[in-house]
Amino acid sequence: MAKRRKRSAQHTGSIPTPANVIRMRAPGSVPQQKPLDEDTPPAPKPTPLWQKVLRRVAITLLVVVALVLGYLFLLMGEPDHELDTVAAVPTAQPITIPMNALEAPAGANLPSLAETFGQPVMGIRPGDITLSHARVYDTAFGGEYARRVTLTYVMADGAELLVESIRPIDAITLLGGNYILQADRLYAMAGMDAARLQNDEQIRVFGQGQGAVYAITMPRTAEFQLETILKQTLLVSPPEK
């Protein structure tokens, strides 16, 4: 009887698990790791907003300084012959024989004036400011002549505003006047970068095109209208033939 119980215990009892056996997970339960690629560059960090603003301000100041230096250079005299070979800007033919002054009343045709001028003429779009008088004439300059177009506009309060187009470019000195250059800001005028001059009575904004220089002169009492006026400026080209 004892032998039968012992044999039954051997058949029905559980087999103990050895202590040194390590249980392994099923292959599908192990999380898959991504391979490391040393050649993959890190994601670029976005440029901070303050750096973008600082870069834009720096570019604006550089353009203003360039305009200021160009203006002062022209005031000091004719450019050197060595520098003439660097700037290959297409310009109109020099004027050796002056023309008779041309006067035009209100409603002058700007494309016709541009044809006489030989370069695009700057004007102001019709609106609260109306064109009252136009004049085309030549002025002795540098042994030849400079051609000028002067447009006189009347503002809503009756004050006059002068728009001038002058060629060649270095004849900007003919504008004259006792003005102080304001180099703290860059302006836009008829698609050109422009700088500002002023004195106690007037404001002058000037810019340079491909073959001419342009300027607006207005009273300082109308300074609050300056931005609006500059947005209304445009260059009028000669009519196509």
Side-chain angles (χ1 to χ4, degrees):
M1 188 69 178
K3 290 181 180 181
R4 187 178 297 175
R5 288 179 180 175
K6 185 177 181 181
R7 187 178 301 169
S8 177
Q10 288 178 354
H11 286 285
T12 60
S14 59
I15 302 173
T17 304
N20 60 350
V21 175
I22 301 176
R23 296 182 180 271
M24 302 295 291
R25 291 185 180 182
S29 64
V30 179
Q32 186 176 3
Q33 295 183 356
K34 296 182 179 181
L36 296 178
D37 189 356
E38 296 180 355
D39 296 334
T40 303
K45 297 181 180 179
T47 305
L49 179 61
W50 67 269
Q51 289 186 3
K52 296 180 180 178
V53 174
L54 184 61
R55 187 180 305 166
R56 183 172 300 177
V57 171
I59 293 174
T60 301
L61 290 177
L62 286 175
V63 176
V64 171
V65 171
L67 281 172
V68 170
L69 292 178
Y71 179 77
L72 295 177
F73 177 74
L74 292 174
L75 286 179
M76 288 188 298
E78 297 290 333
D80 295 332
H81 293 291
E82 294 180 358
L83 297 178
D84 289 343
T85 58
V86 177
V89 179
T91 57
Q93 293 296 325
I95 303 170
T96 56
I97 301 176
M99 63 170 286
N100 294 326
L102 173 64
E103 306 283 343
N109 186 282
L110 294 188
S112 297
L113 294 179
E115 185 175 14
T116 304
F117 181 60
Q119 289 287 328
V121 169
M122 188 171 72
I124 298 178
R125 292 182 178 88
D128 296 335
I129 300 176
T130 57
L131 177 62
S132 65
H133 186 75
R135 186 169 183 244
V136 185
Y137 61 101
D138 291 340
T139 302
F141 177 78
E144 296 174 346
Y145 292 90
R147 183 150 297 174
R148 309 173 67 173
V149 176
T150 302
L151 305 179
T152 303
Y153 289 86
V154 178
M155 306 175 71
D157 58 357
E160 288 189 349
L161 180 148
L162 209 62
V163 178
E164 297 183 78
S165 306
I166 305 176
R167 73 170 179 92
I169 291 174
D170 50 356
I172 189 175
T173 54
L174 295 174
L175 289 173
N178 185 19
Y179 291 90
I180 298 175
L181 193 60
Q182 308 295 308
D184 59 338
R185 183 181 171 186
L186 182 67
Y187 292 83
M189 180 177 68
M192 300 174 290
D193 292 329
R196 173 175 169 172
L197 305 165
Q198 70 181 37
N199 55 27
D200 293 337
E201 298 179 353
Q202 292 181 319
I203 296 172
R204 174 173 289 164
V205 180
F206 71 94
Q208 176 180 323
Q210 293 240 334
V213 289
Y214 305 92
I216 291 179
T217 305
M218 59 184 292
R220 285 199 67 175
T221 55
E223 183 175 1
F224 67 96
Q225 302 183 55
L226 177 60
E227 293 287 346
T228 302
I229 292 172
L230 292 178
K231 290 179 181 178
Q232 296 174 347
T233 56
L234 75 163
L235 290 178
V236 180
S237 300
E240 296 182 359
K241 295 182 180 180

